[in-house]
Amino acid sequence: MSAELLQSPLHARHVALGAKFAAFGGWDMPLEYAGGGVLKEHAAVRESAGVFDVSHLGKATVRGPGAAAFVNSCLTNDLGRIAPGKAQYTLCCDETGGVVDDLIAYLYDDDHVFLIPNAANTAEVVRRLAVSAPDGITVTGQHRSYAVLAVQGPRSEAVLGELGLPADHGYMSFATAAFAGGELVVCRTGYTGEHGYELVVGWDDAPAVWDAVIAAGVRPCGLGARDTLRTEMGYPLHGQDLSLDISPVQAGAGWAVGWSKPAFWGRGALTAEKAAGPRRKLRGLELTGRGIPRGHMRVYAGDKLVGETTSGTFSPTKKAGIALALIDTEPALADGDLVEIDIRGRRTEARLTKPPFVTPQVR
């Protein structure tokens, strides 16, 4: 392990569980666990419940008079559409319409917004907000003040109930609760498509919460299964399916843009791209035969190069290779059309489809 990689407060727990580690956004995080592996961990989330340590995700607080209005003038989605106690998926874009990061905003009140960006982009998101913040509004990076545990799967609500934690609130809402002498936030969100929760806990309180969840019979899951689960749902990963070169319009994330808002970063460029129509769009591909696609593989329609994969994996649920790909909008290709992916020099047939690739049990 590189000495420069950061570790979560649960690192010793992962080592004890025989985790295999990998670098994610500058952090040394569990990829999979001994006695489990990606396939078993994936199945646990689809069929029962799994818990992920996602403490590498960033954390930041924006406070001060009009903090929510300030954040709303910067990020794409419209915070005015949600009430305090709700969370919202949103995007931080640059002036060209490229995506600096996608993140979750937790609205506490008009003067308090909590943000969870991606690990590698946290410092830049905090920097951009801090530079733009007016007098009286403070932007504080809290990356190592909190840990985040994701409890995901059909049994997740029952697990939280067993632990005495609130679990009956609606999707994209959050509640605070006392636990093991500390306080945590339970948000009804997730990156798997299943019914699930993110637990935002104090850094030093994380081991006690993790131990309680594991004792409730929940399988520990690594970021390998997290990737197969999110790809089955067609959820984008920043740096692959969203980036400074892949706009929300191209990635099909226009639903997370408050188009009627008078101001947000990148508004001019994104409005122009939406009006003109993007030159490429993120589409789903499901292999009709054997093969596992990965990112940056060429996609052909006949002899014509029509795009490139951005994410690809083997779907444990479908028992087939699946991918997300940026496909040219001209010539127009419809869902159901056959294309070919160049997988290490061999053309493999795939069918265009609209994600999600699977139907989760979420309610």
Side-chain angles (χ1 to χ4, degrees), residues 280-351:
R280 56 186 187 171
K281 294 195 73 173
L282 197 66
R283 308 281 295 275
L285 295 173
E286 183 174 340
L287 270 62
T288 59
R290 298 179 64 180
I292 301 177
R294 302 299 184 190
H296 303 296
M297 291 180 169
R298 293 183 174 185
V299 180
Y300 293 88
D303 293 329
K304 183 175 177 59
L305 178 66
V306 295
E308 182 180 84
T309 59
T310 53
S311 289
T313 191
F314 173 78
S315 164
T317 306
K318 300 284 291 186
K319 302 293 190 294
I322 58 173
L324 299 176
L326 282 169
I327 302 295
D328 295 342
T329 52
E330 294 295 338
L333 295 170
D335 288 342
D337 286 351
L338 295 175
V339 295
E340 291 180 320
I341 304 174
D342 187 334
I343 301 179
R344 293 177 291 279
R346 181 173 64 87
R347 296 277 191 96
T348 303
E349 187 181 75
R351 190 180 307 278

Side-chain angles (χ1 to χ4, degrees), residues 1 5-6 19-32 223:
M1 183 195 80
L5 291 177
L6 300 173
K20 176 182 177 182
F21 290 88
F24 286 86
W27 291 68
D28 195 35
M29 300 300 292
L31 182 67
E32 59 182 41
L223 299 185

